[in-house]
Amino acid sequence: SLQLSEVSFGSATGACGRGLLWASVIALCSDMAQQGFSTSQQVCNIAISGCGRAGRWRWVTQLLAEHSLEADEACLVAVAGAHEEVGRWSDALRVLKAAGRAHLETSGALWVTVISACTRGRQWELALACSQELWNAGVERDAVTHGATLQALSARGADLWEKA
């Protein structure tokens, strides 16, 4: 017989998240608590990512509140990504600012997510400002961070072209 464990709940949650079955993700988190398992940071991050990919950012907020999680970078990337998916660039930017206020060390992943959210929201000035802040903060640069900056520059060019 199948033994329930945090691993089995995490695997099921991840599979549902990848399948955009956000309601199942929420139900699994609830079932996990009802079965007496504590919801770990990792399982919540998986659930947040699944809801985010499905564009259900309100559920992301609920998951964070219900499970009283300490935000780590993976959690913040998942939350910012959920906002990016639905075009809520200002909320993604707030996540980045909250990380700064909490003195959390961030890698390029959170910055890239916020830059992408701003770019998708046609806020290329903010995207480029974030890109500059990323450089100033000394965050390690790689192909992904450079790609996000190039995407913002490309969006800026397209926007200027449309206005002309």
Side-chain angles (χ1 to χ4, degrees):
S1 80
L2 178 65
Q3 292 290 326
L4 295 179
S5 69
E6 184 180 321
V7 173
S8 61
F9 274 108
S11 296
T13 301
C16 290
R18 285 186 297 281
L20 303 180
L21 302 171
W22 64 272
S24 295
V25 167
I26 299 298
L28 282 165
C29 286
S30 177
D31 289 350
M32 190 171 181
Q34 288 174 356
Q35 294 291 326
F37 293 99
S38 64
T39 309
S40 71
Q41 185 80 43
Q42 185 177 12
V43 171
C44 279
N45 289 348
I46 291 168
I48 288 167
S49 293
C51 288
R53 277 193 292 278
R56 302 298 181 178
W57 63 271
R58 285 188 177 101
W59 286 105
V60 167
T61 306
Q62 181 178 332
L63 280 170
L64 284 172
E66 283 180 2
H67 298 285
S68 304
L69 298 172
E70 277 192 39
D72 63 1
E73 189 183 16
C75 177
L76 294 177
V77 170
V79 172
H83 292 303
E84 177 193 4
E85 286 292 324
V86 293
R88 298 177 61 89
W89 60 268
S90 61
D91 289 324
L93 193 56
R94 278 191 203 96
V95 171
L96 179 62
K97 288 179 181 180
R101 283 192 306 275
H103 305 289
L104 291 175
E105 196 170 317
T106 57
S107 69
L110 180 57
W111 287 89
V112 166
T113 303
V114 173
I115 292 167
S116 296
C118 290
T119 301
R120 285 180 78 178
R122 300 181 60 103
Q123 301 298 315
W124 54 265
E125 297 97 344
L126 284 172
L128 292 174
C130 284
S131 185
Q132 183 63 48
E133 283 184 48
L134 170 114
W135 309 141
N136 294 343
V139 174
E140 187 176 331
R141 296 168 215 148
D142 59 16
V144 177
T145 55
H146 288 301
T149 302
L150 289 173
Q151 191 75 25
L153 287 168
S154 174
R156 176 181 182 254
D159 194 42
L160 291 175
W161 181 257
E162 285 178 18
K163 288 179 181 175

XYZ file of all heavy atoms in Angstrom, residues 51-159:
822
model
N 0.534 27.388 -8.575
C -0.549 28.375 -8.649
C -0.141 29.551 -9.526
O -0.947 30.081 -10.288
C -0.922 28.868 -7.251
S -1.796 27.641 -6.277
N 1.119 29.940 -9.415
C 1.613 31.056 -10.226
C 1.561 30.751 -11.705
O 1.104 31.571 -12.508
N 2.014 29.547 -12.077
C 1.971 29.164 -13.495
C 0.548 29.147 -14.025
O 0.314 29.391 -15.195
C 2.629 27.798 -13.688
C 4.128 27.866 -13.796
C 4.714 26.546 -14.298
N 4.574 25.459 -13.345
C 5.378 25.244 -12.321
N 6.380 26.036 -12.107
N 5.184 24.219 -11.518
N -0.404 28.857 -13.157
C -1.811 28.824 -13.570
C -2.434 30.223 -13.514
O -3.608 30.377 -13.835
C -2.598 27.870 -12.679
N -1.638 31.223 -13.107
C -2.153 32.590 -13.055
C -3.058 32.857 -11.865
O -3.862 33.780 -11.871
N -2.944 32.052 -10.838
C -3.797 32.176 -9.639
C -3.034 32.865 -8.512
O -2.790 32.289 -7.474
C -4.296 30.801 -9.199
C -5.072 30.078 -10.250
C -6.308 30.838 -10.604
N -7.068 30.112 -11.597
C -8.217 30.500 -12.070
N -8.746 31.622 -11.649
N -8.844 29.799 -12.964
N -2.634 34.114 -8.694
C -1.809 34.818 -7.719
C -2.516 35.018 -6.382
O -1.873 35.088 -5.348
C -1.330 36.152 -8.284
C -2.430 37.109 -8.591
C -3.102 37.211 -9.775
C -3.003 38.065 -7.713
N -4.074 38.169 -9.680
C -4.031 38.721 -8.414
C -2.767 38.435 -6.394
C -4.808 39.714 -7.839
C -3.539 39.423 -5.829
C -4.530 40.054 -6.560
N -3.851 35.108 -6.385
C -4.557 35.262 -5.097
C -4.349 34.039 -4.206
O -4.245 34.152 -2.995
C -6.038 35.516 -5.333
C -6.309 36.924 -5.805
C -7.808 37.220 -5.843
N -8.024 38.582 -6.226
C -8.374 38.973 -7.441
N -8.562 38.074 -8.391
N -8.541 40.251 -7.711
N -4.307 32.860 -4.806
C -4.061 31.642 -4.040
C -2.638 31.625 -3.491
O -2.378 31.075 -2.423
C -4.334 30.408 -4.888
C -5.797 30.188 -5.077
C -6.521 30.437 -6.204
C -6.729 29.706 -4.113
N -7.836 30.138 -5.996
C -7.998 29.679 -4.711
C -6.615 29.291 -2.798
C -9.129 29.254 -4.055
C -7.750 28.865 -2.128
C -8.993 28.856 -2.768
N -1.720 32.230 -4.227
C -0.343 32.328 -3.752
C -0.318 33.088 -2.432
O 0.292 32.666 -1.453
C 0.548 33.021 -4.809
C 1.889 33.407 -4.230
C 0.717 32.124 -6.023
N -1.016 34.217 -2.415
C -1.092 35.029 -1.201
C -1.718 34.238 -0.061
O -1.252 34.282 1.081
C -1.904 36.317 -1.485
O -1.317 36.982 -2.604
C -1.906 37.242 -0.299
N -2.770 33.483 -0.358
C -3.441 32.677 0.670
C -2.509 31.596 1.216
O -2.454 31.371 2.423
C -4.709 32.044 0.116
C -5.448 31.207 1.159
C -6.728 30.605 0.626
O -7.346 31.148 -0.271
N -7.114 29.478 1.174
N -1.780 30.921 0.341
C -0.846 29.883 0.785
C 0.204 30.457 1.736
O 0.527 29.861 2.759
C -0.148 29.241 -0.410
C -0.929 28.183 -1.175
C -0.207 27.831 -2.464
C -1.120 26.942 -0.323
N 0.727 31.622 1.394
C 1.727 32.247 2.256
C 1.143 32.558 3.630
O 1.775 32.324 4.655
C 2.253 33.531 1.613
C 3.230 33.338 0.467
C 3.506 34.674 -0.211
C 4.504 32.703 0.949
N -0.075 33.093 3.640
C -0.708 33.469 4.908
C -1.044 32.240 5.746
O -0.796 32.214 6.956
C -1.958 34.284 4.636
N -1.597 31.225 5.124
C -2.035 30.025 5.857
C -0.890 29.252 6.475
O -1.042 28.631 7.520
C -2.812 29.091 4.926
C -4.216 29.535 4.648
C -4.947 28.574 3.728
O -4.373 27.530 3.329
O -6.096 28.874 3.399
N 0.251 29.265 5.832
C 1.344 28.413 6.285
C 2.442 29.181 7.014
O 3.450 28.606 7.385
C 1.910 27.602 5.114
C 0.874 26.685 4.529
N 0.491 25.525 5.154
C 0.119 26.785 3.421
C -0.463 24.934 4.427
N -0.699 25.682 3.379
N 2.230 30.479 7.216
C 3.156 31.323 7.986
C 4.618 31.013 7.672
O 5.407 30.696 8.551
C 2.917 31.151 9.479
O 1.594 31.428 9.787
N 4.947 31.090 6.422
C 6.297 30.734 6.002
C 7.250 31.908 6.122
O 6.871 33.052 5.930
C 6.290 30.287 4.539
C 5.461 29.062 4.240
C 5.379 28.850 2.752
C 6.053 27.858 4.915
N 8.482 31.587 6.442
C 9.528 32.590 6.327
C 9.923 32.589 4.863
O 10.209 31.545 4.291
C 10.741 32.215 7.176
C 10.611 32.611 8.606
C 11.936 32.483 9.331
O 12.989 32.811 8.737
O 11.897 32.055 10.480
N 9.927 33.765 4.292
C 10.216 33.851 2.867
C 11.699 33.615 2.611
O 12.545 34.294 3.157
C 9.794 35.207 2.337
N 11.989 32.600 1.809
C 13.349 32.418 1.327
C 13.346 32.846 -0.139
O 12.312 33.219 -0.680
C 13.831 30.974 1.508
C 13.028 29.957 0.700
O 12.089 30.340 -0.025
O 13.338 28.761 0.812
N 14.492 32.822 -0.780
C 14.528 33.330 -2.145
C 13.664 32.509 -3.089
O 12.979 33.063 -3.944
C 15.948 33.415 -2.700
C 15.894 34.157 -4.026
C 17.205 34.272 -4.759
O 18.145 33.543 -4.440
O 17.253 35.096 -5.659
N 13.644 31.194 -2.941
C 12.811 30.363 -3.821
C 11.347 30.756 -3.697
O 10.619 30.830 -4.691
C 12.997 28.886 -3.486
N 10.907 31.026 -2.481
C 9.531 31.454 -2.245
C 9.273 32.800 -2.923
O 8.257 32.989 -3.587
C 9.280 31.550 -0.737
S 7.643 32.147 -0.301
N 10.209 33.743 -2.762
C 10.031 35.062 -3.360
C 10.022 34.997 -4.884
O 9.240 35.694 -5.534
C 11.131 36.012 -2.874
C 11.099 36.339 -1.383
C 12.281 37.217 -1.014
C 9.795 36.995 -0.985
N 10.867 34.154 -5.446
C 10.873 33.978 -6.909
C 9.532 33.415 -7.357
O 8.957 33.859 -8.363
C 12.051 33.086 -7.367
C 11.918 32.707 -8.837
C 13.380 33.785 -7.118
N 9.009 32.448 -6.619
C 7.711 31.860 -6.960
C 6.595 32.899 -6.877
O 5.730 32.966 -7.757
C 7.404 30.681 -6.031
N 6.617 33.717 -5.835
C 5.585 34.751 -5.683
C 5.708 35.787 -6.796
O 4.708 36.148 -7.444
C 5.676 35.423 -4.293
C 4.741 36.616 -4.201
C 5.346 34.410 -3.197
N 6.927 36.274 -7.042
C 7.125 37.259 -8.116
C 6.725 36.659 -9.466
O 6.111 37.331 -10.297
C 8.573 37.736 -8.140
N 7.048 35.378 -9.666
C 6.670 34.698 -10.907
C 5.167 34.586 -11.076
O 4.639 34.706 -12.185
N 4.462 34.377 -9.984
C 2.996 34.324 -10.056
C 2.448 35.670 -10.498
O 1.527 35.742 -11.324
C 2.417 33.943 -8.686
N 3.025 36.737 -9.978
C 2.586 38.074 -10.391
C 2.969 38.357 -11.846
O 2.201 38.971 -12.582
C 3.162 39.136 -9.457
C 2.594 39.083 -8.076
N 1.245 39.175 -7.815
C 3.187 38.941 -6.875
C 1.037 39.097 -6.513
N 2.201 38.936 -5.916
N 4.141 37.873 -12.246
C 4.566 38.054 -13.632
C 3.580 37.378 -14.593
O 3.217 37.953 -15.622
C 5.967 37.467 -13.843
C 6.438 37.554 -15.278
C 7.656 36.717 -15.574
O 8.125 35.977 -14.690
O 8.124 36.787 -16.715
N 3.151 36.168 -14.245
C 2.245 35.400 -15.112
C 0.964 36.150 -15.447
O 0.395 35.967 -16.514
C 1.885 34.060 -14.466
C 2.983 33.044 -14.495
C 3.300 32.536 -15.886
O 2.380 32.390 -16.721
O 4.497 32.304 -16.145
N 0.485 36.966 -14.522
C -0.797 37.657 -14.739
C -0.603 39.149 -14.991
O -1.557 39.916 -14.950
C -1.779 37.429 -13.567
C -2.202 35.968 -13.500
C -1.198 37.891 -12.244
N 0.644 39.546 -15.274
C 0.901 40.934 -15.634
C 0.889 41.921 -14.482
O 0.712 43.116 -14.699
N 1.082 41.455 -13.283
C 1.080 42.343 -12.108
C 2.519 42.753 -11.770
O 3.058 42.395 -10.737
C 0.391 41.650 -10.936
C -1.086 41.336 -11.231
C -1.744 40.598 -10.103
N -1.743 41.369 -8.882
C -2.698 42.237 -8.519
N -3.735 42.415 -9.309
N -2.603 42.887 -7.376
N 3.121 43.524 -12.668
C 4.512 43.926 -12.537
C 4.762 44.713 -11.245
O 5.810 44.575 -10.631
C 4.969 44.733 -13.758
C 4.179 45.985 -13.965
C 3.053 46.114 -14.736
C 4.421 47.258 -13.376
N 2.593 47.399 -14.654
C 3.415 48.126 -13.828
C 5.400 47.757 -12.511
C 3.350 49.465 -13.448
C 5.336 49.085 -12.125
C 4.327 49.926 -12.599
N 3.791 45.540 -10.838
C 4.008 46.353 -9.632
C 4.094 45.470 -8.391
O 4.877 45.752 -7.475
C 2.921 47.414 -9.475
O 1.651 46.810 -9.344
N 3.321 44.384 -8.356
C 3.402 43.458 -7.228
C 4.713 42.671 -7.244
O 5.293 42.398 -6.193
C 2.202 42.513 -7.212
C 0.919 43.227 -6.831
O 0.981 44.141 -5.985
O -0.139 42.893 -7.388
N 5.183 42.320 -8.438
C 6.481 41.638 -8.543
C 7.580 42.566 -8.037
O 8.488 42.143 -7.306
C 6.748 41.221 -9.987
N 7.490 43.836 -8.370
C 8.473 44.814 -7.901
C 8.421 44.961 -6.382
O 9.461 45.068 -5.725
C 8.212 46.156 -8.592
C 9.272 47.228 -8.484
C 10.613 46.740 -8.995
C 8.835 48.459 -9.270
N 7.217 44.902 -5.815
C 7.074 44.972 -4.355
C 7.767 43.785 -3.669
O 8.322 43.927 -2.587
C 5.603 45.008 -3.959
C 5.003 46.373 -4.052
C 3.603 46.414 -3.395
N 2.886 47.513 -3.973
C 2.029 47.448 -4.989
N 1.743 46.281 -5.522
N 1.440 48.516 -5.459
N 7.709 42.621 -4.292
C 8.377 41.439 -3.734
C 9.886 41.694 -3.649
O 10.518 41.404 -2.628
C 8.069 40.176 -4.578
C 8.936 39.002 -4.146
C 6.594 39.816 -4.485
N 10.450 42.257 -4.714
C 11.881 42.558 -4.729
C 12.230 43.580 -3.644
O 13.211 43.417 -2.913
C 12.295 43.086 -6.102
C 13.762 43.457 -6.267
C 14.665 42.241 -6.069
C 13.988 44.076 -7.635
N 11.408 44.610 -3.514
C 11.654 45.632 -2.493
C 11.534 45.040 -1.085
O 12.309 45.384 -0.190
C 10.704 46.809 -2.674
C 11.055 47.634 -3.900
C 10.103 48.799 -4.090
C 10.489 49.573 -5.334
N 9.608 50.714 -5.567
N 10.577 44.148 -0.889
C 10.406 43.496 0.421
C 11.632 42.661 0.760
O 12.075 42.625 1.913
C 9.148 42.635 0.427
N 12.205 42.001 -0.243
C 13.423 41.214 -0.014
C 14.556 42.131 0.453
O 15.306 41.784 1.362
C 13.825 40.473 -1.282
N 14.642 43.306 -0.149
C 15.670 44.263 0.251
C 15.468 44.762 1.669
O 16.418 44.840 2.453
N 14.208 45.077 2.013
C 13.912 45.554 3.370
C 14.197 44.483 4.415
O 14.589 44.780 5.532
C 12.449 46.004 3.467
C 12.191 47.359 2.843
C 10.815 47.897 3.214
N 9.725 46.992 2.920
C 9.110 46.879 1.747
N 9.486 47.635 0.735
N 8.118 46.032 1.580
N 13.991 43.218 4.038
C 14.232 42.102 4.968
C 15.706 41.672 4.958
O 16.079 40.735 5.653
C 13.346 40.920 4.606
N 16.521 42.357 4.151
C 17.951 42.060 4.037
C 18.202 40.621 3.600
O 19.156 39.988 4.054
C 18.688 42.365 5.342
C 18.478 43.766 5.809
N 19.030 44.859 5.174
C 17.754 44.259 6.833
C 18.661 45.970 5.780
N 17.876 45.640 6.797
N 17.312 40.109 2.733
C 17.515 38.762 2.196
C 18.524 38.841 1.054
O 18.461 39.739 0.215
C 16.200 38.183 1.667
C 15.144 37.855 2.703
C 13.869 37.411 2.017
C 15.635 36.757 3.625
N 19.426 37.904 1.038
C 20.387 37.840 -0.046
C 19.676 37.266 -1.271
O 19.009 36.232 -1.178
C 21.551 36.943 0.353
C 22.752 37.115 -0.531
C 23.967 36.408 0.022
O 24.201 36.507 1.247
O 24.648 35.757 -0.778
N 19.803 37.955 -2.374
C 19.108 37.502 -3.588
C 20.110 37.227 -4.691
O 21.122 37.909 -4.809
C 18.094 38.552 -4.080
O 18.771 39.785 -4.315
C 16.982 38.770 -3.072
N 19.783 36.234 -5.476
C 20.596 35.922 -6.653
C 19.904 36.539 -7.860
O 18.909 37.245 -7.729
C 20.714 34.405 -6.820
O 19.460 33.872 -7.187
N 20.417 36.222 -9.017
C 19.835 36.776 -10.232
C 18.422 36.306 -10.508
O 17.667 36.975 -11.207
N 18.003 35.168 -9.942
C 16.686 34.598 -10.267
C 15.545 35.552 -9.923
O 14.633 35.757 -10.726
C 16.494 33.265 -9.550
N 15.578 36.150 -8.748
C 14.513 37.084 -8.363
C 14.564 38.333 -9.221
O 13.536 38.810 -9.695
C 14.622 37.441 -6.877
C 13.566 38.423 -6.354
C 12.158 37.887 -6.592
C 13.786 38.703 -4.880
N 15.762 38.846 -9.443
C 15.904 40.046 -10.263
C 15.379 39.804 -11.680
O 14.651 40.624 -12.242
C 17.369 40.474 -10.319
C 17.871 41.070 -9.049
C 18.439 40.412 -8.000
C 17.833 42.446 -8.677
N 18.772 41.295 -7.002
C 18.418 42.559 -7.398
C 17.379 43.598 -9.314
C 18.547 43.761 -6.743
C 17.514 44.813 -8.652
C 18.089 44.890 -7.390
N 15.750 38.671 -12.267
C 15.311 38.347 -13.636
C 13.794 38.234 -13.700
O 13.160 38.723 -14.642
C 15.995 37.053 -14.138
C 15.323 36.511 -15.390
C 17.475 37.317 -14.395
N 13.194 37.625 -12.692
C 11.732 37.488 -12.662
C 11.066 38.859 -12.622
O 10.097 39.107 -13.343
C 11.297 36.642 -11.445
O 11.945 35.369 -11.527
C 9.801 36.438 -11.415
N 11.591 39.756 -11.809
C 11.009 41.103 -11.703
C 11.254 41.893 -12.989
O 10.341 42.578 -13.483
C 11.569 41.843 -10.467
C 11.110 43.296 -10.439
C 11.130 41.122 -9.190
N 12.456 41.794 -13.554
C 12.741 42.480 -14.821
C 11.787 41.980 -15.902
O 11.218 42.768 -16.668
C 14.217 42.281 -15.232
C 15.131 43.035 -14.257
C 14.459 42.724 -16.670
C 16.607 42.657 -14.377
N 11.573 40.671 -15.951
C 10.653 40.092 -16.945
C 9.222 40.558 -16.720
O 8.498 40.843 -17.673
C 10.714 38.563 -16.895
O 11.986 38.118 -17.269
N 8.804 40.644 -15.448
C 7.448 41.117 -15.147
C 7.265 42.558 -15.617
O 6.236 42.896 -16.220
C 7.172 41.015 -13.646
N 8.263 43.391 -15.362
C 8.179 44.794 -15.807
C 8.167 44.875 -17.334
O 7.404 45.654 -17.910
C 9.346 45.602 -15.238
S 9.246 45.871 -13.452
N 8.998 44.069 -17.974
C 9.047 44.066 -19.439
C 7.709 43.624 -20.023
O 7.181 44.267 -20.939
C 10.185 43.157 -19.944
O 11.426 43.640 -19.412
C 10.254 43.134 -21.456
N 7.141 42.546 -19.479
C 5.841 42.051 -19.962
C 4.739 43.069 -19.733
O 3.780 43.136 -20.496
C 5.471 40.742 -19.263
C 6.266 39.568 -19.768
C 5.872 38.310 -19.065
N 4.623 37.802 -19.586
C 4.063 36.688 -19.182
N 4.630 35.963 -18.251
N 2.930 36.285 -19.691
N 4.884 43.870 -18.670
C 3.905 44.914 -18.374
C 4.178 46.218 -19.106
O 3.580 47.242 -18.782
N 5.100 46.176 -20.073
C 5.460 47.342 -20.883
C 6.012 48.482 -20.020
O 5.862 49.642 -20.334
C 4.306 47.790 -21.754
C 3.848 46.706 -22.733
C 2.718 47.149 -23.611
N 3.069 48.295 -24.407
C 3.378 48.273 -25.693
N 3.399 47.133 -26.326
N 3.667 49.376 -26.353
N 6.650 48.117 -18.944
C 7.305 49.069 -18.041
C 8.818 48.954 -18.240
O 9.567 48.677 -17.320
C 6.913 48.783 -16.587
C 5.441 48.849 -16.313
C 4.881 50.234 -16.568
O 5.461 51.232 -16.168
N 3.741 50.285 -17.244
N 9.254 49.160 -19.473
C 10.651 48.920 -19.794
C 11.593 49.847 -19.034
O 12.718 49.474 -18.740
C 10.901 48.968 -21.299
C 10.438 50.216 -21.988
C 9.241 50.402 -22.616
C 11.146 51.442 -22.095
N 9.172 51.676 -23.108
C 10.325 52.342 -22.808
C 12.393 51.885 -21.663
C 10.712 53.637 -23.097
C 12.777 53.183 -21.945
C 11.950 54.044 -22.657
N 11.142 51.071 -18.686
C 12.007 51.964 -17.909
C 12.330 51.330 -16.549
O 13.470 51.340 -16.102
C 11.353 53.335 -17.668
C 11.071 54.130 -18.920
C 9.634 53.961 -19.396
O 8.940 53.022 -18.959
O 9.208 54.781 -20.225
N 11.302 50.772 -15.905
C 11.513 50.091 -14.626
C 12.361 48.839 -14.799
O 13.201 48.528 -13.948
C 10.177 49.727 -13.986
C 9.409 50.872 -13.333
C 8.023 50.405 -12.917
C 10.173 51.417 -12.150
N 12.113 48.109 -15.871
C 12.899 46.902 -16.138
C 14.374 47.253 -16.279
O 15.233 46.588 -15.695
C 12.389 46.203 -17.402
N 14.668 48.326 -17.006
C 16.065 48.729 -17.177
C 16.647 49.283 -15.874
O 17.822 49.063 -15.571
C 16.183 49.751 -18.314
C 15.882 49.185 -19.704
C 15.882 50.290 -20.752
C 16.861 48.092 -20.071
N 15.823 49.972 -15.084
C 16.288 50.455 -13.775
C 16.628 49.269 -12.864
O 17.643 49.293 -12.157
C 15.234 51.355 -13.135
N 15.790 48.245 -12.879
C 16.071 47.034 -12.079
C 17.352 46.370 -12.570
O 18.159 45.890 -11.761
C 14.908 46.052 -12.167
S 13.486 46.498 -11.184
N 17.525 46.349 -13.875
C 18.732 45.753 -14.442
C 19.969 46.516 -13.964
O 20.974 45.909 -13.584
C 18.633 45.778 -15.970
O 19.718 45.112 -16.537
N 19.871 47.837 -13.935
C 20.994 48.644 -13.443
C 21.238 48.376 -11.957
O 22.385 48.250 -11.520
C 20.709 50.137 -13.672
C 21.845 51.039 -13.268
C 23.104 50.788 -14.096
O 23.048 50.713 -15.312
N 24.234 50.624 -13.426
N 20.156 48.276 -11.171
C 20.296 47.968 -9.740
C 20.933 46.602 -9.528
O 21.727 46.417 -8.601
C 18.935 48.024 -9.045
C 18.443 49.418 -8.775
C 17.144 49.426 -7.990
O 17.061 48.706 -6.967
O 16.229 50.136 -8.411
N 20.573 45.654 -10.379
C 21.164 44.320 -10.315
C 22.677 44.424 -10.454
O 23.423 43.838 -9.674
C 20.574 43.445 -11.427
C 21.219 42.098 -11.683
C 20.233 41.006 -11.317
C 21.609 41.959 -13.129
N 23.130 45.212 -11.418
C 24.579 45.370 -11.632
C 25.208 46.061 -10.421
O 26.259 45.657 -9.951
C 24.902 46.172 -12.880
C 24.231 45.730 -14.147
C 23.740 46.556 -15.108
C 23.980 44.404 -14.623
N 23.184 45.825 -16.133
C 23.321 44.506 -15.859
C 24.222 43.132 -14.110
C 22.920 43.401 -16.590
C 23.816 42.027 -14.851
C 23.189 42.164 -16.065
N 24.532 47.134 -9.934
C 25.068 47.893 -8.794
C 25.149 47.050 -7.521
O 26.014 47.283 -6.684
C 24.224 49.140 -8.521
C 24.295 50.141 -9.655
O 25.187 50.092 -10.495
N 23.344 51.052 -9.699
N 24.211 46.119 -7.367
C 24.176 45.277 -6.165
C 25.243 44.185 -6.191
O 25.446 43.480 -5.206
C 22.791 44.642 -6.006
N 25.909 44.054 -7.324
C 26.963 43.055 -7.421
C 26.455 41.638 -7.595
O 27.187 40.679 -7.333
N 25.213 41.491 -8.042
C 24.658 40.161 -8.284
C 25.392 39.552 -9.471
O 25.662 40.232 -10.467
C 23.135 40.242 -8.562
C 22.576 38.888 -8.955
C 22.410 40.803 -7.349
N 25.726 38.279 -9.339
C 26.464 37.605 -10.411
C 25.669 37.647 -11.707
O 24.478 37.327 -11.741
C 26.739 36.147 -10.016
C 27.645 35.442 -10.989
C 27.995 34.036 -10.536
O 28.022 33.793 -9.317
O 28.238 33.206 -11.414
N 26.345 38.037 -12.756
C 25.696 38.138 -14.071
C 25.963 36.867 -14.864
O 27.044 36.299 -14.800
C 26.242 39.345 -14.824
C 25.908 40.628 -14.122
C 26.679 41.790 -14.690
N 26.968 42.651 -13.544
C 28.031 43.381 -13.428
N 28.935 43.393 -14.364
N 28.218 44.107 -12.365
N 24.940 36.457 -15.603
C 25.082 35.285 -16.451
C 24.227 35.492 -17.695
O 23.686 36.577 -17.911
C 24.697 34.003 -15.695
C 23.264 34.008 -15.173
O 22.448 34.841 -15.622
O 22.949 33.165 -14.325
N 24.113 34.469 -18.496
C 23.352 34.577 -19.739
C 21.891 34.943 -19.476
O 21.277 35.692 -20.249
C 23.437 33.269 -20.523
N 21.327 34.440 -18.379
C 19.917 34.711 -18.079
C 19.716 36.178 -17.681
O 18.785 36.827 -18.147
C 19.400 33.757 -16.977
C 17.966 34.070 -16.605
C 19.517 32.311 -17.434
N 20.594 36.707 -16.840
C 20.445 38.110 -16.434
C 20.679 39.030 -17.633
O 19.958 40.012 -17.808
C 21.403 38.485 -15.277
O 22.736 38.186 -15.644
C 21.032 37.759 -14.003
N 21.673 38.704 -18.458
C 21.895 39.509 -19.666
C 20.703 39.400 -20.611
O 20.298 40.397 -21.228
C 23.183 39.066 -20.377
C 24.432 39.467 -19.665
N 24.759 40.777 -19.390
C 25.440 38.724 -19.158
C 25.914 40.824 -18.752
N 26.347 39.587 -18.585
N 20.139 38.203 -20.721
C 18.965 38.012 -21.589
C 17.772 38.843 -21.140
O 17.054 39.417 -21.976
N 17.554 38.935 -19.829
C 16.440 39.745 -19.316
C 16.643 41.214 -19.658
O 15.696 41.918 -20.041
C 16.305 39.561 -17.803
N 17.891 41.681 -19.548
C 18.191 43.070 -19.900
C 17.977 43.305 -21.388
O 17.376 44.317 -21.783
C 19.641 43.423 -19.501
O 19.789 43.213 -18.098
C 19.968 44.865 -19.834
N 18.444 42.381 -22.202
C 18.244 42.519 -23.653
C 16.761 42.500 -24.013
O 16.319 43.236 -24.906
C 18.988 41.410 -24.395
C 20.510 41.536 -24.385
C 21.153 40.298 -24.986
C 20.945 42.786 -25.137
N 15.987 41.684 -23.323
C 14.537 41.634 -23.558
C 13.906 42.991 -23.243
O 13.045 43.473 -23.982
C 13.907 40.540 -22.687
C 12.482 40.228 -23.027
C 12.364 39.425 -24.310
O 13.287 38.728 -24.709
N 11.239 39.529 -24.964
N 14.324 43.621 -22.137
C 13.800 44.938 -21.769
C 14.191 45.978 -22.819
O 13.369 46.814 -23.212
C 14.316 45.347 -20.386
N 15.440 45.924 -23.289
C 15.878 46.858 -24.331
C 15.102 46.640 -25.620
O 14.719 47.600 -26.300
C 17.382 46.695 -24.586
C 18.294 47.247 -23.505
C 19.722 46.771 -23.720
C 18.219 48.774 -23.469
N 14.854 45.386 -25.940
C 14.080 45.067 -27.139
C 12.659 45.608 -27.023
O 12.119 46.174 -27.976
C 14.061 43.550 -27.338
O 13.224 43.195 -28.406
N 12.055 45.432 -25.841
C 10.693 45.949 -25.624
C 10.689 47.470 -25.720
O 9.759 48.068 -26.267
C 10.176 45.509 -24.258
N 11.732 48.101 -25.182
C 11.839 49.557 -25.260
C 11.880 49.991 -26.719
O 11.189 50.916 -27.124
C 13.094 50.034 -24.552
C 13.306 51.530 -24.672
C 14.601 51.960 -23.971
N 14.756 53.379 -24.071
C 15.617 53.980 -24.876
N 16.387 53.255 -25.669
N 15.707 55.289 -24.894
N 12.699 49.312 -27.522
C 12.800 49.642 -28.947
C 11.485 49.464 -29.672
O 11.069 50.299 -30.475
N 10.773 48.381 -29.374
C 9.475 48.130 -30.013
C 8.463 49.198 -29.609
O 7.677 49.667 -30.439
C 8.962 46.743 -29.624
N 8.510 49.601 -28.347
C 7.595 50.632 -27.858
C 7.881 51.965 -28.543
O 6.955 52.672 -28.971
C 7.710 50.761 -26.341
C 6.569 51.552 -25.724
O 5.414 51.321 -26.167
O 6.830 52.396 -24.847
